[in-house]
Amino acid sequence: MKTSVKKTAVIVGCSQMGARLAMSLSNKGYKVVIMDKDYHAFERIDRHFLGTEFLGDGQDLTALRSLGVDNIKLFVAATGNDADNLTLSRKAEKLYHLSRVYARLSGSRSREQLKRCATDHAPAV
């Protein structure tokens, strides 16, 4: 019998958007890891969430390796800081060689910065 390996989605930032996205992806069959440095941010997550809540600084993406995170198919930087999200998305792209990397951007200035530095496979949401 062949077992399937779940695709992993990593979300840094348990913002309101990050929490909703974590639930949605989990319901679609992804193995979801959501990371935030504020323990209270995880209160935004629905109590039926089946993924992993990871308390840590999103700037330290290598900390995810301590969880044994592998088979990452999707990475989302969803903190409340556009500059951090841009930095995290670029770092994740290089560290994990991902093709699906997204950054939550709230300001039009941040979107312009992303357009200037983005590669073909680092779209913003």
Side-chain angles (χ1 to χ4, degrees), residues 79-97:
T79 73
N81 184 301
D82 287 358
D84 286 348
N85 290 341
L86 283 169
T87 301
L88 284 168
S89 62
R90 298 293 290 176
K91 196 184 281 189
E93 181 183 34
K94 290 180 192 276
L95 184 65
Y96 293 112
H97 309 287

Side-chain angles (χ1 to χ4, degrees), residues 5-56:
V5 176
K6 281 189 174 183
K7 297 175 282 190
T8 301
V10 173
I11 302 169
V12 176
C14 193
S15 60
Q16 196 170 31
M17 186 210 94
R20 282 194 313 255
L21 183 60
M23 283 301 299
S24 176
L25 291 170
S26 180
N27 290 338
K28 290 179 181 175
Y30 278 82
K31 175 183 171 187
V32 179
V33 176
I34 188 161
M35 181 180 198
D36 203 291
K37 61 184 174 185
D38 178 10
Y39 176 77
H40 296 291
F42 297 119
E43 294 171 2
R44 295 182 182 105
I45 297 275
D46 185 278
R47 63 185 175 94
H48 300 292
F49 177 62
L50 299 175
T52 303
E53 298 168 1
F54 184 65
L55 184 64

Side-chain angles (χ1 to χ4, degrees), residues 17 21 74-78 82 85 89 100-107 111 114 122-125:
M17 186 210 94
L21 183 60
L74 174 65
F75 180 92
V76 180
D82 287 358
N85 290 341
S89 62
R100 293 183 64 200
V101 177
Y102 299 89
R104 176 191 170 270
L105 301 175
S106 58
R111 287 188 189 96
L114 184 63
V125 293

Side-chain angles (χ1 to χ4, degrees), residues 108-125:
S108 60
R109 186 171 178 203
S110 296
R111 287 188 189 96
E112 287 304 314
Q113 286 176 316
L114 184 63
K115 284 179 189 175
R116 282 188 295 242
C117 71
T119 61
D120 291 339
H121 52 279
V125 293

